[in-house]
Amino acid sequence: MPEPDDRRNKSMAAPQTAKSPGDTSNQEKTGIRSPSASIAPRVFWPSAIIIVAFVLYATVFKDSAQDVISTVQTEIISGVGWYYTALVSLFVIFALWVGIGRFGDIKLGKDHERPEFSMASWLAMLFAAGMGIGLVFWGVAEPLNHFISPRPGVGDGAAERSEMAMVQTFLHWGIHPWAIYVVVGLAVAYAVHRKSRPISIRWALEPIFGDKVKGAWGDAIDTIAVVGTVFGVATSLGFGVLQISAGLGFQGWVDEPGTPLRVLLIVIITALATVSVVTGVGKGIKWLSNINMGLAGALMVFVLVAGPTLFILNGFVEDIGAYLQNLLALSFDTGASQGADGTAWVSGWTIFYWGWWISWAPFVGVFIARISRGRTVREFVTGVLLVPTLLTFLWFAILGGSALHRETVGEGGLVGEDGAVGTDSALFQLLDGLPGGAFVAGVTILLIVLFFVTSSDSGSYVVDVLASGGHPDPPTWSRVFWCAAEGAVAVALLIASGTGTSSLSTLQTVAIITALPFTFVMIGMCLATAKSFRREHHAYLAAQRKKQEERLIDQAVSAFEEGLENGNGTSSNESKDSAVDARST
């Protein structure tokens, strides 16, 4: 995700950010900025303690951590599946309701404020917000996994399994995750741009809690957002190093791509992200983000041209139709009709994704809120829901479609002899069968590394803003701390997960659990946004009635004056009566 430059960071700030909840005033008294001058202690320290405690527990008491994670996987995840399924579907309904309904004309800014960015730039940045390590990691692997091990209830035919593999992938990466981002981004954008509040999650709930957001309630809300975001980013970093190490091993550039190599990769890339934080987050990170987008676009075009182009384009159109046809049923599918196998499959895939997106919601939500000043609610919802979704579908249609074509009508080779998909290395296996495979694989590894750096850097900035009570320019030392914290959590997750496929299972489990507390915050955001929008609408109607009343009075007065000039007493009396009626109306 591209990092906001310093000028625009400050443009998002409100006057209140000079003293956010929990800030100290030593700087004002002495004129000297202390290391803790711009953090919110009641958010920063509880979040830091929770994260450090987890890292120590997962690394020092590895066996115990593995047992806890295993227990959570078997006993808790299946119990929250229905809740996540219903909730995320309701978020989609909520996003459509506010976007299509009578609230669509509300401006995320002052009434006459124009959008900060052009439509093209805004849409490009929305897509950039959704591009990341996860999209590169799952681009080939997910459709293949769904094809080989489909959701229970899908037929045995290769054609049906292939189509449903893409439909299921579209479900996980389509309007549902972006509806989650709409809920958070819209609430934050309204609070920041319309109400001039600081950049903090707590202020999005002000319509419900009132002044309580300045106290313990607000501290708890921001702490939940900080911890959830750190674990969400760390989960993505874990996926990134799994794929980098697998790519290095597949190309024969390293002998043993195990946990030690993955930990080393996290340390190196986190160090690069830390350098980016220290040297400035303006031009450097923006430059890296532009390279990311260029490399990702080049990879997509290369696979489209070098792969089965006609098959991909036909499949893209067909799969969108199948997605729309099955959307409602899949949105509420908990797997219950297929028994234990069905619920287990949904928990391992769909519920993991809903938890992962929710853990990323504060991160992406704050970003899309920042770039959406001056947009209407309808523009916001339409842009956030549709444009990134269509571009993401195109990504999966090209990479995933190429893989499915190779397995169904091509030479195969992407599925192991044991019938399993090498999730970490699936992308590199696909590229190996295309011209210039080794070179393209190297470029892809570079792409993943850059996504790793920009995600860590951007994530540390957003977390730091939240942990600083909405301060637009938090101190460098705290950005470094959060950058290191994300890397440390990723290391801890990999160490605690053991070996083999358990690493992936651990990342999925942690994403689901750490997102759970933030779901309640998001429910509050929906209620707060609806309450605020109703107030806006009622105020708008009242203003319209007032304008109409003033217009009627003006007409009546004009008629009355005209009657006096003409000496028409009857008209004068009627005009007086009209003026009285207008005032009473």
Side-chain angles (χ1 to χ4, degrees):
M1 187 181 89
E3 177 66 26
D5 57 47
D6 292 337
R7 177 177 58 82
R8 287 171 180 151
N9 292 344
K10 294 176 182 176
S11 73
M12 188 173 176
Q16 297 95 316
T17 59
K19 284 194 69 176
S20 56
D23 284 351
T24 63
S25 58
N26 290 336
Q27 183 181 356
E28 296 178 2
K29 295 178 180 179
T30 65
I32 300 173
R33 184 171 181 174
S34 68
S36 60
S38 62
I39 66 169
R42 296 193 301 270
V43 176
F44 183 97
W45 295 116
S47 303
I49 290 170
I50 292 172
I51 291 168
V52 171
F54 172 82
V55 171
L56 292 176
Y57 173 69
T59 53
V60 176
F61 303 99
K62 177 180 175 181
D63 293 338
S64 176
Q66 290 179 356
D67 292 340
V68 170
I69 291 172
S70 177
T71 301
V72 169
Q73 286 174 332
T74 55
E75 297 184 8
I76 298 180
I77 300 300
S78 60
V80 299
W82 66 270
Y83 172 70
Y84 275 92
T85 299
L87 188 63
V88 174
S89 297
L90 290 176
F91 288 156
V92 174
I93 296 172
F94 173 82
L96 295 174
W97 174 63
V98 296
I100 298 174
R102 59 186 179 178
F103 304 132
D105 293 328
I106 294 175
K107 183 71 71 71
L108 299 176
K110 305 308 176 185
D111 287 335
H112 303 293
E113 192 169 12
R114 304 184 71 177
E116 183 179 359
F117 300 98
S118 68
M119 180 64 72
S121 297
W122 182 63
L123 294 176
M125 286 188 286
L126 286 178
F127 178 59
M131 285 291 294
I133 293 171
L135 205 55
V136 180
F137 184 88
W138 292 109
V140 172
E142 182 168 352
L144 271 181
N145 271 287
H146 295 334
F147 175 74
I148 298 301
S149 301
R151 177 174 52 86
V154 175
D156 295 331
E160 182 180 358
R161 288 188 291 120
S162 177
E163 181 178 275
M164 289 308 298
M166 295 303 298
V167 169
Q168 195 72 45
T169 302
F170 283 5
L171 175 75
H172 297 155
W173 293 82
I175 63 171
H176 286 74
W178 287 101
I180 292 171
Y181 298 154
V182 164
V183 169
V184 178
L186 187 60
V188 174
Y190 181 83
V192 172
H193 300 316
R194 185 73 172 175
K195 297 300 183 181
S196 299
R197 297 296 189 253
I199 314 167
S200 189
I201 299 296
R202 69 174 72 202
W203 296 106
L205 298 177
E206 186 182 16
I208 295 178
F209 292 108
D211 288 340
K212 290 181 181 179
V213 298
K214 301 176 182 178
W217 279 98
D219 297 331
I221 291 168
D222 282 343
T223 299
I224 290 171
V226 168
V227 174
T229 302
V230 168
F231 277 89
V233 174
T235 299
S236 296
L237 301 186
F239 286 138
V241 296
L242 287 177
Q243 192 170 38
I244 292 172
S245 62
L248 294 174
F250 183 81
Q251 296 298 325
W253 296 339
V254 296
D255 293 330
E256 302 203 4
T259 299
L261 174 63
R262 293 166 182 168
V263 171
L264 178 62
L265 287 171
I266 291 177
V267 172
I268 293 174
I269 302 176
T270 301
L272 294 176
T274 303
V275 171
S276 176
V277 168
V278 172
T279 56
V281 299
K283 295 182 179 179
I285 199 65
K286 187 176 182 180
W287 181 66
L288 288 177
S289 298
N290 290 335
I291 293 178
N292 278 355
M293 295 303 298
L295 289 177
L299 176 62
M300 191 165 60
V301 172
F302 168 78
V303 177
L304 174 62
V305 174
T309 306
L310 188 59
F311 177 87
I312 290 171
L313 296 177
N314 284 329
F316 176 59
V317 175
E318 184 177 65
D319 294 336
I320 289 179
Y323 166 74
L324 295 175
Q325 182 181 0
N326 292 276
L327 179 60
L328 187 61
L330 290 177
S331 296
F332 292 91
D333 182 21
T334 63
S337 61
Q338 301 297 325
D341 291 340
T343 55
W345 193 96
V346 172
S347 296
W349 282 103
T350 307
I351 305 307
F352 150 66
Y353 272 115
W354 297 167
W356 192 22
W357 301 137
I358 290 171
S359 68
W360 267 68
F363 178 20
V364 179
V366 167
F367 174 76
I368 62 177
R370 186 192 70 79
I371 65 174
S372 299
R373 177 188 291 272
R375 297 288 170 189
T376 65
V377 170
R378 185 168 292 111
E379 286 177 325
F380 182 92
V381 173
T382 302
V384 174
L385 278 186
L386 297 184
V387 176
T389 295
L390 288 175
L391 291 173
T392 301
F393 286 178
L394 182 60
W395 173 274
F396 278 103
I398 292 174
L399 273 73
S402 297
L404 292 175
H405 178 271
R406 182 168 164 179
E407 281 301 311
T408 54
V409 299
E411 67 274 17
L414 298 179
V415 180
E417 295 181 358
D418 58 352
V421 176
T423 301
D424 302 346
S425 59
L427 174 60
F428 298 101
Q429 290 177 277
L430 175 68
L431 296 177
D432 189 57
L434 299 176
F439 171 77
V440 177
V443 173
T444 303
I445 291 176
L446 175 62
L447 172 66
I448 299 169
V449 171
L450 291 178
F451 271 132
F452 197 144
V453 173
T454 54
S455 294
S456 180
D457 184 281
S458 302
S460 65
Y461 169 77
V462 172
V463 167
D464 202 11
V465 169
L466 296 177
S468 300
H471 199 291
D473 189 22
T476 300
W477 72 266
S478 57
R479 277 189 228 183
V480 172
F481 171 81
W482 292 115
C483 190
E486 290 161 1
V489 171
V491 170
L493 290 174
L494 291 178
I495 291 177
S497 62
T499 58
T501 58
S502 58
S503 296
L504 186 60
S505 299
T506 298
L507 294 174
Q508 293 173 328
T509 301
V510 170
I512 296 171
I513 295 303
T514 56
L516 186 59
F518 195 68
T519 61
F520 303 109
V521 176
M522 292 186 66
I523 293 172
M525 284 181 166
C526 291
L527 298 174
T529 301
K531 185 176 182 180
S532 296
F533 284 2
R534 284 197 180 96
R535 288 177 179 173
E536 284 268 352
H537 187 66
H538 291 159
Y540 171 78
L541 293 179
Q544 291 296 104
R545 285 195 297 268
K546 186 176 180 179
K547 287 181 180 179
Q548 183 179 12
E549 175 185 339
E550 292 174 350
R551 185 170 58 252
L552 291 173
I553 292 174
D554 290 341
Q555 292 174 352
V557 170
S558 297
F560 176 71
E561 292 175 347
E562 182 180 354
L564 287 177
E565 292 177 358
N566 296 332
N568 189 339
T570 304
S571 298
S572 300
N573 291 333
E574 291 176 356
S575 299
K576 291 178 182 178
D577 293 340
S578 298
V580 171
D581 292 340
R583 288 189 178 92
S584 63
T585 302

